Amino acid sequence: MRDETINVLFVCSRNRWRSPTAETLFRSFPGIRARSCGTSKAARKQVQNADIDWADLVLVMEDEHSSRLKARFRQLLNSEVVYVLDIPDEFQFMDPDLVDILEQTVPPILLAALKQD
């Protein structure tokens, strides 16, 4: 990793509920810069080469997001670690249940990544 701060990209399908919730929750996590985007052409912010280049760590909500990223950005994903969080598309933005799931699953991944820095 490059410096004391790591860049974390959260990815879902349309970048409307899950990944923006994760970005909101973890943008102030110590040592983390967070960004979110989506894999769908209908995404509010669609994943671009620059997002993959920027990211040190990629957290996707479902297996299909990982597959889409690998199909589209295989060359760029060489050094990035992609984690699948297994969070289904059944939550609204900042849904308390979604927040609980993210708060339980994401910090251990972030802390492990920061220790590798």
Side-chain angles (χ1 to χ4, degrees):
M1 307 248 172
R2 286 166 254 199
D3 55 35
E4 296 175 15
T5 302
I6 60 171
N7 297 330
V8 181
L9 182 65
F10 293 98
V11 180
C12 66
S13 296
R14 293 181 312 273
N15 189 231
R16 291 193 173 100
W17 300 337
R18 294 174 289 172
S19 60
T21 297
E23 177 184 7
T24 299
L25 289 174
F26 296 105
R27 74 169 54 126
S28 60
F29 196 91
I32 299 297
R33 281 188 295 259
R35 183 183 290 181
S36 67
C37 21
T39 58
S40 168
K41 290 182 182 181
R44 184 177 57 87
K45 181 184 183 306
Q46 190 177 13
V47 181
Q48 302 295 320
N49 288 354
D51 298 306
I52 301 298
D53 283 340
W54 173 85
D56 299 310
L57 180 65
V58 180
L59 283 76
V60 300
M61 299 300 152
E62 299 176 63
D63 284 324
E64 73 177 87
H65 303 129
S66 178
S67 298
R68 288 179 189 166
L69 290 179
K70 289 175 183 173
R72 186 169 170 207
F73 302 105
R74 183 168 306 283
Q75 296 284 339
L76 294 175
L77 283 171
N78 290 346
S79 61
E80 281 80 7
V81 177
V82 178
Y83 285 93
V84 179
L85 299 175
D86 290 318
I87 299 175
D89 190 9
E90 56 189 45
F91 301 99
Q92 298 286 323
F93 179 70
M94 297 304 288
D95 181 303
D97 291 335
L98 174 58
V99 169
D100 286 346
I101 292 167
L102 289 166
E103 287 179 340
Q104 290 173 26
T105 58
V106 173
I109 297 167
L110 299 180
L111 291 171
L114 286 167
K115 284 182 185 175
Q116 292 176 3
D117 191 23

